[in-house]
Amino acid sequence: QVYVEESGGGLVQAGGSLQLSCTASGRTVSNYAMGWFRQPPGQGREFVAAVLLSDGQTTHADSVRGRFAISRDRALNTVILQMNSLEVEDTAVYYCAYSLGWRLGDITDARMFDYWGQGTQVTVSS
């Protein structure tokens, strides 16, 4: 069992910044990647960013590239999502996800991840 916990959400004005943090604990010997997804109000869950824990390779969604940056501290099983130039459209519940191992598929697909956090609310006001 792996436990995933997010922190750092909140309310911010458009153009501002927030930093989300996520820590995985428990049986983390098997580890491949960690990522962030979000679910805007009334919409489905969408990919935001992911990082491979072995080498730090990152992938970002087109909608956030250049504004958001994911990074990891492998020793601490922690990932950080730095969000800058926030827009009202970034309002969503943000979920952290943990992948045990590689499987055939795209890292942007939620099915690549095995454990999920409860989510943290990010609200961007105009």
Side-chain angles (χ1 to χ4, degrees):
Q1 180 71 26
V2 175
Y3 304 92
V4 179
E5 184 172 9
E6 309 99 335
S7 63
L11 173 65
V12 64
Q13 285 192 323
S17 298
L18 275 178
Q19 186 179 88
L20 304 183
S21 178
C22 173
T23 299
S25 60
R27 288 186 170 272
T28 58
V29 174
S30 296
N31 56 73
Y32 173 62
M34 293 179 71
W36 290 94
F37 290 74
R38 67 186 182 186
Q39 186 164 12
Q43 299 182 40
R45 193 170 297 191
E46 62 187 33
F47 171 77
V48 176
V51 59
L52 300 186
L53 296 176
S54 59
D55 61 7
Q57 180 180 339
T58 62
T59 303
H60 294 81
D62 289 344
S63 59
V64 307
R65 190 173 295 115
R67 300 188 298 121
F68 292 11
I70 189 171
S71 60
R72 98 316 187 188
D73 183 325
R74 190 181 186 190
L76 298 178
N77 279 322
T78 297
V79 293
I80 300 294
L81 184 68
Q82 178 64 42
M83 305 185 294
N84 299 324
S85 302
L86 281 160
E87 303 169 353
V88 172
E89 292 73 23
D90 295 318
T91 295
V93 178
Y94 283 71
Y95 297 90
C96 182
Y98 185 93
S99 176
L100 290 172
W102 181 87
R103 67 211 68 175
L104 185 64
D106 196 306
I107 196 66
T108 65
D109 189 335
R111 292 171 295 182
M112 292 289 286
F113 295 88
D114 304 284
Y115 295 96
W116 295 79
Q118 293 298 308
T120 185
Q121 177 70 46
V122 172
T123 302
V124 184
S125 63
S126 58

